[in-house]
Amino acid sequence: MKRKHMLQSILALSVLFTTVLAGCSSGQPASPSNSASTTVSSQTGAAPATGGGTLIIARLSDANNLDPHFSTQINSMAVVQHKLYEGLVMLDQSSEYKPLLASEWKQLDDLTWEFVLRDGVTFHDGTPFDGEAVKKTIARILDKNAPTPKANMFGMIKEVKVVDSHKVQIILHYPFAGLLSVLASAEGGIISPKAMEQYGKDLNKHPVGTGPFVFESWTPGQEIVLVKNEKYWGTKPKIDKVVFKTVPEDTTRVAMVETGEAHIAEQLPVTEIERVKNSSSMTLGRYESFAVDHIGMNVTMKPFDDVRVRQAIAHAIDKEAIIKGVYNNVGKVAISTLGPKVIGYSPNLKTPEYDLNKAKQLLAEAGYANGYKATVYLNDNKARINVAEVLQSQLKGIGIDLQIQVMEFGAYLDLAGKGEAQMFISGWGNATGDADYNQYNLFHSTSHGVPGNHSFYSNPKVDELIEAGRKEKDPQKRKEIYEQAQQIEMDEVPLLPYRSSENLAAIAKNVQGVTISPSGYVEINDVTIQ
């Protein structure tokens, strides 16, 4: 699973992930146990629904793909996870792994995990949920003949063995401490085998899962409509329908909540916080986030192929000024591309200090004493546009003439994924709560382009550490491995993290039960409209 940040996310989810978060869940995701005797189980049955009505969510950008195996941004994953698609397990609001489509699981040995699947679950198209559905879903992700952007994320899986219709074993190539985090991500949603065969890559437009909502329609650039799944196996939603409306203008989204045209305005800019706080019809939602905003540089393009140039930029940027001036102190100065709540985060990293003299010295050593011209690309996010303007001003102090190119989110992702963005302002919203999601997608050499490595960064030592982090069972040793990788990344600066963000939303006062997960996905299964 993906990316708020990055431009909203890229979620990872990608891809890419976006702004906002603070204070809903307080704990860190627990590391999966490596004990062969560990068993987790739950007996969750269906419960009657109450309430009703249509929930309208106004948000900055539309989805770019409703196929969890091909989507690369938060706005897509927010629609599918826990609504249309469900995984074997889920990460709850306390950041603990809980049963979902699997009623229990246990680790048989270092390489084998066994999952007991729920009985009586059907996909939206009537296809029964069973072990074959799990096997075919993961096989689709890993299909070498039709590779998906999520193949690296699931690359530790060697085989899914169907023991019987309601029991599967996931057999790994190597021990992988973060397996549950991957299975709990939006990318881990189980897809109807019938729909996979029927629609192929057009599944993007015909999502079919087991979730509490069923896909009704998608008008690109305008809205996505989901309706309550009346045959849902678990506790049915309290609302009858949800409409995700694309509303690019920040003030318009807030005004829609203020006037009753919408119930939730997501990706709330910090400039609108006081307006929401002072409103008689809205409340401010602030939720904890895994996401980190960053400034990226394509290391394959001049002059950013010289590490001294990248280091010079890092020394020329005043992060504290950006947090205060652009974000009004919402969020914190970042020292890592991992958010503080992500497993693998280290507070011990040494980061480039703001030092214009050092920056000028490095540029001169690289042969750019008189500066140079460059272009920074970003999506049409108001805060990021403001960051770009501050960046433009700060880099002028060391002779860099920075041009700003603002694009629609999907167009930006396409450009960056092709390696055509010289510099970029983005972010990465961790979809799993585990360091591997950031590290593999943002820095591993096999993740160049669409999976998330828009810097096209390659370092064999970093690759080696990332792969070691995947395999290490001991939590402390694993943390030390990721600390080493992060320090190299910070020294070589393919990405300069500048802000650990928060998820913010304006919520109508007649709406209860809204949360935004640390990954940046609005959760609506418990929402009621009064």
Side-chain angles (χ1 to χ4, degrees):
M1 259 292 341
K2 307 296 14 342
R3 317 147 214 199
K4 144 158 156 338
H5 50 94
M6 53 186 80
L7 310 184
Q8 279 94 68
S9 211
I10 264 146
L11 64 24
L13 177 322
S14 29
V15 69
L16 297 161
F17 282 49
T18 142
T19 27
V20 292
L21 30 105
C24 195
S25 137
S26 58
Q28 289 189 356
S31 298
S33 169
N34 291 292
S35 169
S37 63
T38 298
T39 301
V40 182
S41 64
S42 172
Q43 302 296 327
T44 302
T50 58
T54 297
L55 181 73
I56 299 176
I57 302 173
R59 58 197 197 140
L60 174 68
S61 303
D62 195 8
N64 71 343
N65 195 315
L66 296 182
D67 185 332
H69 298 166
F70 287 89
S71 177
T72 56
Q73 43 106 311
I74 283 179
N75 290 320
S76 299
M77 297 305 198
V79 173
V80 302
Q81 190 180 37
H82 299 160
K83 303 169 191 69
L84 299 175
Y85 290 113
E86 298 175 306
L88 297 180
V89 300
M90 68 175 289
L91 195 66
D92 71 5
Q93 289 297 322
S94 299
S95 290
E96 295 181 358
Y97 294 106
K98 299 293 185 181
L100 199 52
L101 290 180
S103 58
E104 61 182 85
W105 64 86
K106 58 185 175 182
Q107 192 170 2
L108 302 182
D109 55 46
D110 284 352
L111 300 178
T112 308
W113 294 66
E114 186 170 87
F115 295 82
V116 177
L117 310 181
R118 291 192 187 279
D119 196 8
V121 178
T122 58
F123 290 97
H124 301 153
D125 60 5
T127 304
F129 164 71
D130 57 15
E132 285 296 329
V134 177
K135 181 176 182 176
K136 290 179 180 179
T137 294
I138 293 179
R140 180 177 187 256
I141 298 172
L142 298 173
D143 186 356
K144 293 181 180 179
N145 296 319
T148 73
K150 310 302 177 181
N152 284 342
M153 186 175 173
F154 290 78
M156 77 296 297
I157 297 178
K158 178 180 180 181
E159 176 188 2
V160 177
K161 180 180 179 181
V162 178
V163 179
D164 57 45
S165 62
H166 290 92
K167 183 180 291 185
V168 298
Q169 291 179 354
I170 295 181
I171 301 169
L172 309 180
H173 288 288
Y174 49 81
F176 181 64
L179 180 64
L180 292 183
S181 73
V182 171
L183 298 178
S185 70
E187 291 88 340
I190 306 301
I191 302 173
S192 162
K194 178 181 177 182
M196 283 189 275
E197 182 176 350
Q198 180 177 354
Y199 298 116
K201 287 193 174 181
D202 283 339
L203 189 71
N204 161 41
K205 302 172 185 176
H206 306 277
V208 183
T210 61
F213 291 91
V214 177
F215 175 76
E216 181 177 276
S217 65
W218 181 12
T219 307
Q222 297 183 36
E223 66 179 30
I224 297 172
V225 182
L226 315 180
V227 297
K228 179 167 66 176
N229 179 6
E230 298 291 354
K231 297 180 180 180
Y232 183 55
W233 62 268
T235 302
K236 293 182 178 63
K238 298 177 176 64
I239 55 174
D240 297 322
K241 181 182 289 190
V242 57
V243 180
F244 293 88
K245 286 187 174 291
T246 302
V247 184
E249 176 54 47
D250 294 331
T251 56
T252 302
R253 290 200 304 280
V254 177
M256 289 174 68
V257 179
E258 202 166 29
T259 61
E261 294 179 68
H263 299 99
I264 303 169
E266 279 195 279
Q267 289 121 24
L268 181 73
V270 295
T271 53
E272 299 296 317
I273 287 178
E274 291 305 314
R275 176 182 177 184
V276 175
K277 283 183 175 180
N278 295 328
S279 172
S280 61
S281 59
M282 299 182 288
T283 58
L284 176 66
R286 296 182 69 162
Y287 307 91
E288 189 174 54
S289 173
F290 293 145
V292 174
D293 295 306
H294 58 243
I295 296 161
M297 292 160 274
N298 189 325
V299 303
T300 67
M301 301 177 73
K302 289 187 176 298
F304 304 108
D305 57 342
D306 191 320
V307 67
R308 293 169 296 184
V309 171
R310 303 195 300 270
Q311 290 169 342
I313 288 176
H315 283 293
I317 295 173
D318 186 346
K319 297 180 184 179
E320 291 186 3
I322 292 174
I323 302 304
K324 181 178 180 180
V326 174
Y327 294 99
N328 196 25
N329 291 319
V330 174
K332 298 179 180 179
V333 169
I335 64 167
S336 168
T337 52
L338 298 181
K341 295 296 183 180
V342 175
I343 295 173
Y345 171 84
S346 172
N348 304 320
L349 299 180
K350 296 178 181 179
T351 61
E353 296 181 356
Y354 177 56
D355 186 338
L356 288 180
N357 289 330
K358 180 68 172 177
K360 291 176 182 178
Q361 175 189 336
L362 286 164
L363 275 188
E365 290 175 3
Y368 296 96
N370 297 321
Y372 57 86
K373 291 184 178 181
T375 301
V376 63
Y377 296 84
L378 57 147
N379 75 309
D380 48 355
N381 172 290
K382 187 173 183 179
R384 291 210 173 108
I385 293 171
N386 291 341
V387 170
E389 292 170 349
V390 173
L391 185 63
Q392 184 181 54
S393 175
Q394 291 183 351
L395 294 186
K396 187 176 181 181
I398 60 171
I400 297 176
D401 180 6
L402 187 66
Q403 305 300 308
I404 299 171
Q405 183 67 50
V406 180
M407 309 177 71
E408 182 273 329
F409 191 29
Y412 162 79
L413 286 176
D414 183 60
L415 181 89
K418 291 178 180 177
E420 297 173 2
Q422 189 180 31
M423 287 184 70
F424 51 91
I425 299 174
S426 184
W428 193 260
N430 190 299
T432 66
D434 189 271
D436 181 71
Y437 190 84
N438 291 68
Q439 288 291 298
Y440 212 101
N441 287 297
L442 290 178
F443 298 106
H444 199 277
S445 59
T446 62
S447 297
H448 288 172
V450 174
N453 187 345
H454 293 168
S455 323
F456 287 76
Y457 174 71
S458 294
N459 182 317
K461 178 61 176 178
V462 170
D463 285 354
E464 178 184 322
L465 288 167
I466 291 172
E467 291 160 13
R470 287 188 145 194
K471 299 173 184 179
E472 179 55 60
K473 294 185 294 181
D474 183 278
Q476 183 57 39
K477 290 181 180 179
R478 192 166 183 251
K479 183 176 180 179
E480 292 169 359
I481 289 169
Y482 284 125
E483 184 176 290
Q484 291 180 56
Q486 291 171 75
Q487 189 59 65
I488 296 171
E489 294 154 8
M490 190 59 65
D491 293 341
E492 298 190 344
V493 212
L495 299 179
L496 179 69
Y498 65 87
R499 175 178 176 259
S500 294
S501 70
E502 299 179 27
N503 289 319
L504 305 178
I507 304 170
K509 288 190 174 179
N510 66 332
V511 174
Q512 303 296 323
V514 177
T515 61
I516 298 179
S517 73
S519 296
Y521 310 148
V522 62
E523 301 284 356
I524 59 173
N525 294 355
D526 295 325
V527 166
T528 56
I529 304 172
Q530 298 176 352

